[in-house]
Amino acid sequence: MILRRRAAQPPSAPAPQHPGLLLHPATPGSGIEAGTGDGAPPRFTDGPADVLLRRLELTVRRRLDGLLQGDHLGLVPGSGSEAGDSRTYHPGDDVRRMDWPVTARTQVPHVRETIADRELETWAVVDLSASLDFGTANCQKRDLAIAGLAAVGHLTVHGGNRLGAVVTTGERIDRHPAMPGRLAAERLLRSVVATPRASSGRRGDLAAALETLRRPERKRGLVVVISDFLGDSDWERPLRGLSARHELLAIEVLDPRELELPDVGLLTVVDPETGQTLEVPTGDAEFRARFAAGAAAQREEVAAALRRAGAGHLRLRTDRDWLMDVVRFVAERRRAGSGGASR
């Protein structure tokens, strides 16, 4: 179990929603310097949601459109089923896409390209449980989860595609119907930002949110799961059930303090989902090493479960440029030509 840390000295920042959570990089003992802000999503505790969402939208459009040039597939699953133009065969191309009439006519091997499917229905399962109200670097994990949803909307909502969401906090599950268009995606984002935070001592229930997408069955589409995947792994079974009908993408949201602890002496840490409190001797090098090894093993277990479910895996961190990580992920999918996880 990874517990959320609480500074031994009272922070100068405004009081957090959950006792014991670090929300700003200036918090004493965080071990993280304040970032420039260019690669960080807005903190939705710092101002009006509409203003911050507008800033996020402009950032996503400017950087993703500027870095992902051309007719890319984005997050659309598969390489498409509608026939497109033919081109010369290159080693490594799928031989099942050979265009035999053109090959026979030109005496040069050709393959038939396909156009990405339109009217895609994308469902995002957004985990906003208490463990997401935590961050020691450029933002909270909750802010990063909302930013990931904004990127998904930008990359999928076009050509009549629809975007819907299931938001879980542990106390409630909110369902937002899939609607087409940019305006509908913006309304969805505003609704997700306005979701009340879960109270302390409430566990998240990602498995229940995933189950809501399995029944009733829907036509084949894309399911994006945004979570830190902490706690019980009971989400794996419903996720594997969804993979039988949908393409899957898992966006894992992490903070560096969940992977390793700084040497800042004796700290009191608290788990916001259970209320359990412990004294942690971060000055002990052996303890820090055991914590880092346990955290790495836990992250590897999560990655293995996602692979077993056939999900693509995108990892976003609060101390990194999250949009560059999105760009790298989309570019790798485009180069692979599969548009999703290999099965």
Side-chain angles (χ1 to χ4, degrees), residues 162 210 289 318:
R162 296 180 297 277
L210 292 172
T318 61

Side-chain angles (χ1 to χ4, degrees), residues 4-5 21-22 131-136 140-141 255 258:
R4 307 299 174 264
R5 60 181 297 276
L21 303 188
L22 295 178
S131 65
L132 275 290
D133 297 331
F134 170 74
T136 62
Q140 293 184 29
K141 293 193 295 180
D255 186 85
E258 294 171 332

